[in-house]
Amino acid sequence: MAHLFRDLSLGHSKRESTPPPPPLQTKPPPMPTNKLTPTDLQSPLGQLASQLTDSDLRLTAYDVFLAVCRTSASKPLSTSASSISDSPSQNSPGQNHNHSPSSPALQRSLTSAAASKMKKALGLKSPGSKKSPGSAPGSGQGKSKRPTTVGELMRIQMRVPESVDARVRRALLRIGGGLVGRRIESVVLPLELLQQLKQSDFSDQQEYDAWQKRNLRVLEAGLLLHPRVPLDKSNNASQRLRQIIHAALDRPIETGKNNESMQVLRSAVMSLASRSDGSLSDSCHWADCIPLNLRLYEMLLETCFDINDETSIVEEVDELMEQIKKTWVILGINQMLHNLCFAWVLFHRFVSTGQVEMDLLYAADGQLAEVAKDAKTTRDPEYSKILSSTLSSILGWAEKRLLAYHDTFDSGNVYTMQGIVSLGVSAAKVLVEDVSTEYRRKRKEVDVGRNRIDTYIRSSLRTAFAQRMEKADSSRRASKNQPNPLPVLAILAKDVGELAVHEKQVFSPILKGWHPLAAGVAVATLHSCYANEIKQFISGITELTPDAVQVLRAADKLEKDLVQIAVEDAVDSDDGGKAIIREMPPYEAETAIANLVKGWIKTRLDRLKEWVDRNLQQEVWNPQANQEGYALSAVETLRIIDETLDAFFQLPIPAHPALLPDVIVGLDKCLQYYVIKAKSGCASRNTYIPTMPALTRCEIGSKFQGVWKKKEKSQNTQKRNSQVATMNGDKSFGIPQLCVRINTLHHIRSEMDVLEKRIVTHLRNCESAHLEDFSNGLSKRFELTPAACVEGVQQLSEAVAYRIVFHDLSHVLWDGLYVGEPSSSRIDPLLQELEQNLLVISETVHDRVRTRIITDIMKASCDGFLLVLLAGGPSRAFSRQDSQIIEDDFKALKDLFWANGDGLPADLIDKFSATVRDVLPLFRTDTESLIERFKRVTLEAYGSSARSRLPLPPTSGQWNPTEPNTLLRVLCYRNDEAASRFLKKTYNLPKKL
């Protein structure tokens, strides 16, 4: 036998410590019960159609063994005979009639001086120097002794009583005497035994009957039920033999004589056994047919195992196997069938002895390597059939364990897994590559081992996952009455993670020998199994709940752990594990969490916006609502925003920093919406500025009493009154209410900084925050609201200022100041009422915005003062002497805002009164100089086209002493003949509107 297996250290037999076999019996003792698994492992070598028991087969195999071992396969049987004794233990050198038949094979001395070559090759343990099986029955001492011959060893191994052995030997001597020059395979052994032995050779009738029936059933099996050469239905010999056997089974025939019944039996048997199978030999075919020959050979191979140590092969296996192989000529066995049968016997012994002796498994796996070689060299259909049956049986047994290896193996037996995997893969390779006709036809390049391991991993882990899921469901039901029980999928994620780690540590190192990405395939399978559950869960989530977040976080952690194992496992693979990773499409748990949070944010923001709309409609902007002077609706809005931020950071999610911008942007838009709604409908600066009347020239000499007719007055005030009519009818747009709006926007603006600092504090307490989350300030800032607040305060401040000056005080400004005689309609009434309004403003608005509003009122007052001087209509006219009155009144206006140093700063007053200060000197300039200056600046502005006729400069509203329209308006309101003539001549301006 080729040295196919690794050389393992030799073990020891248990024979020395075991009691000797039981005393001789007249009947063969029963074989020990095999320690098979609950599902008994059926022999793939074929089931006999006859009623032959294992004991019958064993005794028949022993008959064949004795027959062939009396002579070599090429020599005839020996004719020399010695008398046989039933008690060889009482033999003495002087009693020749008690000697056993002399056969070189059977009488060869046994030695255990050197370890068996076969056992070394198989890697099997050896009994060493301990005693061989057997004893000296009949000595009465019960002491063990070593068998001295191969024949004696075989008898002991096959548990054949010495009386049976002696009887067969006697018969073989008689058979040999009549067959000089013929080979042993030319006789039908059961027939010859029936011819030679008679009832008197047996101890009782029962033993004789059992012996006769056994031999007849062997003839039936070999010649009728499983013939080497197929039977013709019309074959008379087969019908005759069948009748003889059936009659003899009911009523035994007389054997040991050359009587008629034996002659008829011999005629029928020899007629069938002598039929040629196509070979040129003169062999008789009675035991060389499948499955009879394989079952007999299986019995012989079983003798290689120590009867006292079922997992050990006898030390003398080399010599024993040499003699067993001599049976090939009768049984029709060749090296290929021997290799296949021996592989099965080794495997079956491993299974039947409790699957603990790994040497047997490795030996069977090694023997399959020989079988694989044989399978590539032959296409014999009978061999292929038995090969397929045997390997399918081995593979089926292995796969029953490997397709659910998590149930099969644990810490106590995981050491057996590698051998079982190796055996299963070896069997699968031969089946696929050498038995499968489809494979041979297509000649596919298939890695059978890798494919089988892939199947085992996926199958076993799917089973394990289903078990974990059932366990998680049970855990959930058991803890439903406990506070805050874990959701099933969260429990399952934890269990699956532990399963993946166990797989990586325990099973993957074993399976990696056949599949380089064993761990990767395992985690990909688990990933896929959990994906089915988590995706169904995600599709059913409608809102953010603690359970949903818990499950999604557990799924996200599991996925990261599984991917990490896959990446580590594939670090040395050709594609870097891309194929495995492609099998693991993301759970999108983080995305699901993000979407749920965004939904949560949207719901909160929608509610906030609805609340803003509802409360702004009810808001009255009452200055006495609180001491700070801002709207209660703003206080509530900011409170809700603060609560929303707290609730967001309390969400049990891992991605607060990533989703924070969505929250801030949403809240920012809500606050901006509040600001826009708070300032909407409050008018603006331009709402209150009156429309300038058309240019006219003064009517010289008139004192203007009654000149400003009702029609003119109604024209000047009609547009302005219509623009503010809405506000006059709504108390929420009064000056105090506008001041409350300004306070409110200022308060919101100042609270933005507080909110942003609070957000930073939340982030510092957030476990998922990183350094970059703090460095990126833009992600946690409100951008829209501060700008809207600044813009709103500016708009409302100007609206308050221009409303006071041009609307509330129009009766003392636009309708009273300098109307008629300037000296009798000076600025004092305006200053008195303006001061009262300033007191109201100072008491209502916040300190931080007070200066801004008073400044805007001063700007509006300066604009109104200039508008009276330059666009006051035909009711107003100024002489050069009036300039002093105007300058004094302007100084009084500035003094009001300076308030002896308690009002606006002097530089601020100078800044916003500069335009008036620059224009007033024009009112003391003589008319001729004004006309010349006007002509010059007009020519400079319009060029040579203005030389023939001065164009009328448009009104820009940007008053300036060098601007043509400003100079023209000073001339229009100059109470002077020269100015009136110039305007009449140049522009033909009327004196009245």
Side-chain angles (χ1 to χ4, degrees), residues 46 54 57 67 181-182 314 495 515 525 535 590 604 609 651 668 673 770 790 797 863 916:
D54 284 352
L57 292 172
R182 294 173 59 190
V314 295
D495 289 349
H515 198 308
T525 303
K535 287 182 179 178
E590 287 186 345
R604 288 275 183 145
K609 187 173 179 295
L651 292 175
D668 198 11
Y673 177 74
H770 302 287
V790 171
S797 179
D863 288 348
V916 181

Side-chain angles (χ1 to χ4, degrees), residues 505-520:
Q505 294 175 346
V506 177
F507 297 119
S508 295
I510 296 172
L511 300 174
K512 204 173 181 69
W514 293 270
H515 198 308
L517 302 177

Side-chain angles (χ1 to χ4, degrees), residues 910-930:
D910 290 341
K911 176 182 177 182
F912 291 110
S913 64
T915 303
V916 181
R917 187 175 63 245
D918 293 342
V919 170
L920 286 186
L922 296 176
F923 285 87
R924 73 162 65 96
T925 304
D926 63 274
T927 302
E928 288 73 15
S929 297
L930 284 174

